[in-house]
Amino acid sequence: ILRDFFLFSCKPLKKDVLTMNKRKILKRLIIAAVCVVCAVVVFEIVVRVMMDSEMRSRDDWNIQVGEHQYTSEERAVSVYDASVESTISVSRIVPDEYEEDGFTYYDEGVQQRLGQQLMEMVGQGASMDAPLAVLDPFGTGSNGLLLSFQTERRSQIRYTVHTTSAELPDYTAVAQSSADGNSFSRNHCFLLIGLVPGETNEVTLEALGERGRVQQTVTFTIEMPEAISGYANHLDTTDGDSTAALTDGLYYAMGLGDYYGYTFFFDNDGVLRYEMVLEGFHSDRFLYTDGGLYTCVSSRKIALMSPLGQAVRVYDLGQYELHHDINWGPDGTILALVNDTEQDTVMDVVVSLNPETGEVSEVVDFSELMDGYYGEMTHPVPITGGSFWQAGEDDWLHLNSVQYMEKDDSILVSSRETSTIIKVSDIQGTPTLSAFIGDPAFWADTPYADLCYAMDGDFVAQYGQHDVELVADDSLEDGQYLLRMYDNNYWSLSTRDGYDPELADSVSTSLTSGDASYITFYLVDDNTKTFSLVEQHAVPYSAIVSNAQEIGGNFVANSGVAHQFGEYDSEGTLIRAFDYDCMMNGYRVMKGDFVGYWFQETDA
């Protein structure tokens, strides 16, 4: 806005304008300047509100209940009729203190009480034609419906969701319904995923025998309330040129601007099938384990989520505030990118969480590890910088992904601000900088020039990259590894003066427009200290945020500024694109089959 105003002000004045009264000219310039200042102030307020809302904890859980059934004084929970119209009885379990200030579902004590009450209700037994049905049993998934019942014979449960009030495709899945992990059982308890918010859903349950025959069929209807977030239940889609099949699974969208505190799950037709409700922030990444999955549930909490939606363990990170990524570390620990709220810098610290003990320990503080660059050559973000919405923040590195390399006890972190992938070795001993992967010219006049790997081949280095991940490849030699990333192809530097790179014409310096971003693969060789371009596929341009993923031989890429994600075939040709609404940008969209978690495979 400021740039456009100054360019306008400096245009040559026409003769008729020169003849105008000087006072009128001055008045118009003042009005224009005031308008620009107001626009900047409003924009700054909007951005600050957005940033604050991203980190804020939820204070309204929007719990809707019907008629009271009974209260367990021992557990301090009450059971109500759920506030939905249904041809089967549907209940809702609610903690008695849910209206008190500071209440959160992401509290282990709350979750244990809900779990105990649910176990008692499940233990009373129910049949398939009159199942126990509990809406959102743990307060973590607004349209998740827990079903529990027994079948006469060992079976799997296949279900189909049909919307009777809208022309949406049917959704079919086989539930992971046995608590003991067996494929076939007489006892079934599962979270039904797929009910469309705001629609009348007709659900058909089928008990499948071990030979694939349908032993019993039950159908019921349920009118689901609108999504708590107010988000649309169907995305616009556009088919691409590829005739390849989409992979099975659900896309999950994390960190959509103005919808923080939710993760949305969409099927291959763009229909909203599950709305995960968090305490705040966004999920960032799912880390699967035998007991469920770990994910971020607020700006300072990580939780272990069971397939039924129970937050079995909740870990508070204390002074550390999450941003951008979590991932597996050594020996089952979880690495997290954080802000240390007790220091001035942001987005430059890596911590480790031990899920067994809950202990949080600092792994690397880059402001200390790179003190030859930080402070010596950097400054906080100015209002005129490319990241002007962070004005005043000491975001000199801006880490946005972390990956552990077990072979040499190292981590790879992606730095957006420096357009560099940084490798740190011996993280369980004495963390040591060992490799800088990116345009070597950036580090030429710094103490770290010797750590820069050379570019092997004629290609343009990545700029502003996100979501750097290791790709398994057993054919590689020791010391070699394959990296995949979302190369934003955007150059911006807000925290260092005096460096003006020679950029290829293909690299954009605009937040809003560019030729393309890329799914990019590098082969890195620690032996020769080189990296080379192996593979690259163009995707819609996104200056910031965004991610790329491989699943089932296809790619999933989210271009967050463009508000679009898509699935591409192995050659990088678009199969289907999905457009989503949000303010500013959408952080990540990934895809999972959730087999072994919510679903199981079947040949039936």
Side-chain angles (χ1 to χ4, degrees):
I1 296 172
L2 285 172
R3 185 188 303 119
D4 291 343
F5 169 69
F6 287 126
L7 288 175
F8 169 78
S9 301
C10 294
K11 287 182 178 180
L13 297 177
K14 295 180 180 180
K15 289 183 179 180
D16 58 338
V17 176
L18 289 172
T19 61
M20 292 177 63
N21 186 288
K22 292 181 179 179
R23 186 174 297 174
K24 289 183 178 180
I25 297 174
L26 180 60
K27 182 178 179 180
R28 289 187 180 185
L29 288 174
I30 291 174
I31 292 173
V34 170
C35 290
V36 169
V37 171
C38 289
V40 171
V41 170
V42 169
F43 182 79
E44 177 73 9
I45 291 173
V46 169
V47 170
R48 289 297 177 184
V49 168
M50 285 287 294
M51 293 175 69
D52 290 344
S53 68
E54 182 178 10
M55 311 310 288
R56 189 171 59 240
S57 295
R58 183 184 301 277
D59 55 12
D60 180 9
W61 292 88
N62 193 27
I63 300 173
Q64 303 295 322
V65 294
E67 184 177 346
H68 178 262
Q69 294 181 19
Y70 61 90
T71 295
S72 168
E73 295 184 2
E74 176 186 1
R75 301 185 182 110
V77 299
S78 295
V79 180
Y80 297 84
D81 292 332
S83 57
V84 296
E85 294 293 329
S86 178
T87 57
I88 62 172
S89 177
V90 181
S91 300
R92 182 85 191 257
I93 312 171
V94 179
D96 290 346
E97 75 275 24
Y98 78 93
E99 293 182 311
E100 296 178 4
D101 290 342
F103 169 78
T104 176
Y105 271 111
Y106 287 94
D107 176 280
E108 287 186 15
V110 170
Q111 293 288 307
Q112 288 169 5
R113 287 155 45 206
L114 292 170
Q116 291 166 358
Q117 184 60 42
L118 183 62
M119 287 178 61
E120 180 179 293
M121 296 167 70
V122 169
Q124 294 173 3
S127 63
M128 184 171 168
D129 56 0
L132 170 69
V134 182
L135 182 65
D136 189 11
F138 294 100
T140 61
S142 66
N143 59 328
L145 182 67
L146 182 138
L147 295 179
S148 177
F149 52 85
Q150 291 182 330
T151 51
E152 294 181 0
R153 289 178 284 178
R154 288 164 53 84
S155 61
Q156 291 178 325
I157 304 301
R158 180 172 64 195
Y159 63 84
T160 298
V161 177
H162 171 73
T163 54
T164 63
S165 55
E167 294 183 359
L168 299 176
D170 290 352
Y171 181 74
T172 299
V174 177
Q176 183 71 31
S177 64
S178 174
D180 58 12
N182 293 325
S183 297
F184 295 87
S185 177
R186 292 186 62 246
N187 299 308
H188 305 277
C189 185
F190 60 94
L191 195 66
L192 192 153
I193 301 297
L195 298 173
V196 182
E199 301 293 343
T200 299
N201 294 260
E202 181 183 81
V203 179
T204 300
L205 304 175
E206 296 176 299
L208 303 177
E210 296 186 51
R211 295 185 179 180
R213 295 180 180 177
V214 177
Q215 300 170 339
Q216 185 179 358
T217 301
V218 171
T219 298
F220 65 89
T221 61
I222 180 170
E223 295 183 17
M224 293 299 294
E226 300 286 344
I228 292 178
S229 62
Y231 206 77
N233 63 22
H234 194 198
L235 303 179
D236 290 334
T237 65
T238 304
D239 286 339
D241 294 332
S242 176
T243 58
L246 296 167
T247 54
D248 292 333
L250 294 170
Y251 305 97
Y252 47 104
M254 304 168 282
L256 302 191
D258 206 32
Y259 294 97
Y260 299 122
Y262 300 95
T263 297
F264 302 115
F265 295 74
F266 300 97
D267 67 16
N268 282 344
D269 294 296
V271 180
L272 179 61
R273 295 298 177 179
Y274 189 57
E275 179 187 55
M276 180 181 284
V277 182
L278 311 173
E279 183 180 302
F281 194 58
H282 38 82
S283 300
D284 280 354
R285 189 184 296 272
F286 292 161
L287 304 177
Y288 298 93
T289 185
D290 291 341
L293 63 82
Y294 292 98
T295 193
C296 311
V297 295
S298 77
S299 62
R300 302 195 190 197
K301 291 181 181 178
I302 293 172
L304 172 62
M305 306 297 295
S306 80
L308 299 182
Q310 183 178 15
V312 180
R313 293 289 307 272
V314 180
Y315 305 92
D316 194 314
L317 303 187
Q319 74 191 60
Y320 298 109
E321 193 173 64
L322 290 159
H323 71 84
H324 287 89
D325 205 12
I326 61 171
N327 220 325
W328 288 117
D331 302 320
T333 58
I334 296 172
L335 298 176
L337 300 181
V338 298
N339 300 324
D340 183 345
T341 59
E342 296 186 357
Q343 64 186 38
D344 294 332
T345 58
V346 296
M347 306 194 196
D348 61 351
V349 174
V350 181
V351 297
S352 174
L353 167 67
N354 185 328
E356 294 295 323
T357 64
E359 180 185 2
V360 179
S361 56
E362 190 172 284
V363 177
V364 181
D365 181 343
F366 280 87
S367 67
E368 296 178 358
L369 190 64
M370 295 179 62
D371 58 359
Y373 178 72
Y374 167 67
E376 294 293 324
M377 304 180 69
T378 67
H379 54 70
V381 177
I383 188 64
T384 55
S387 302
F388 53 88
W389 60 90
Q390 292 182 272
E393 291 190 340
D394 203 351
D395 187 16
W396 64 281
L397 196 60
H398 196 102
L399 301 180
N400 56 39
S401 70
V402 59
Q403 183 89 55
Y404 178 64
M405 299 179 65
E406 185 177 7
K407 284 186 178 180
D408 56 1
D409 190 34
S410 64
I411 57 172
L412 291 164
V413 292
S414 167
S415 165
R416 187 196 75 186
E417 180 68 2
T418 67
S419 293
T420 305
I421 301 163
I422 301 172
K423 183 176 182 180
V424 181
S425 301
D426 194 21
I427 66 163
Q428 296 181 84
T430 303
T432 305
L433 294 167
S434 56
F436 284 37
I437 302 164
D439 187 349
F442 184 91
W443 301 99
D445 296 326
T446 75
Y448 309 105
D450 292 343
L451 295 176
C452 292
Y453 280 18
M455 298 172 62
D456 182 9
D458 183 15
F459 61 97
V460 177
Q462 86 283 355
Y463 291 98
Q465 77 288 330
H466 284 71
D467 193 29
V468 176
E469 294 193 37
L470 281 167
V471 180
D473 189 335
D474 294 335
S475 68
L476 298 179
E477 301 175 4
D478 287 344
Q480 294 181 332
Y481 45 95
L482 193 62
L483 298 180
R484 183 193 65 251
M485 73 194 77
Y486 187 99
D487 175 5
N488 297 74
N489 195 34
Y490 167 67
W491 167 256
S492 176
L493 181 61
S494 299
T495 58
R496 173 180 167 188
D497 297 328
Y499 177 71
D500 188 17
E502 294 183 9
L503 297 174
D505 292 339
S506 60
V507 180
S508 178
T509 58
S510 169
L511 272 170
T512 56
S513 62
D515 292 338
S517 294
Y518 299 97
I519 302 170
T520 295
F521 289 78
Y522 282 166
L523 174 62
V524 183
D525 193 329
D526 285 339
N527 305 306
T528 60
K529 296 186 177 181
T530 60
F531 66 99
S532 57
L533 179 65
V534 174
E535 187 177 344
Q536 195 167 64
H537 306 292
V539 295
Y541 177 72
S542 181
I544 56 175
V545 296
S546 311
N547 69 289
Q549 176 197 14
E550 285 182 272
I551 179 170
N554 290 347
F555 300 108
V556 172
N558 169 52
S559 296
V561 176
H563 297 180
Q564 184 182 97
F565 65 89
E567 186 162 345
Y568 301 78
D569 65 20
S570 59
E571 302 299 318
T573 304
L574 178 67
I575 305 172
R576 182 169 294 166
F578 303 79
D579 296 312
Y580 56 85
D581 290 327
C582 71
M583 187 180 293
M584 303 296 286
N585 53 64
Y587 181 53
R588 274 183 181 163
V589 179
M590 305 182 81
K591 194 174 191 181
D593 59 19
F594 296 97
V595 170
Y597 187 72
W598 285 326
F599 312 123
Q600 60 178 298
E601 294 177 324
T602 179
D603 296 328

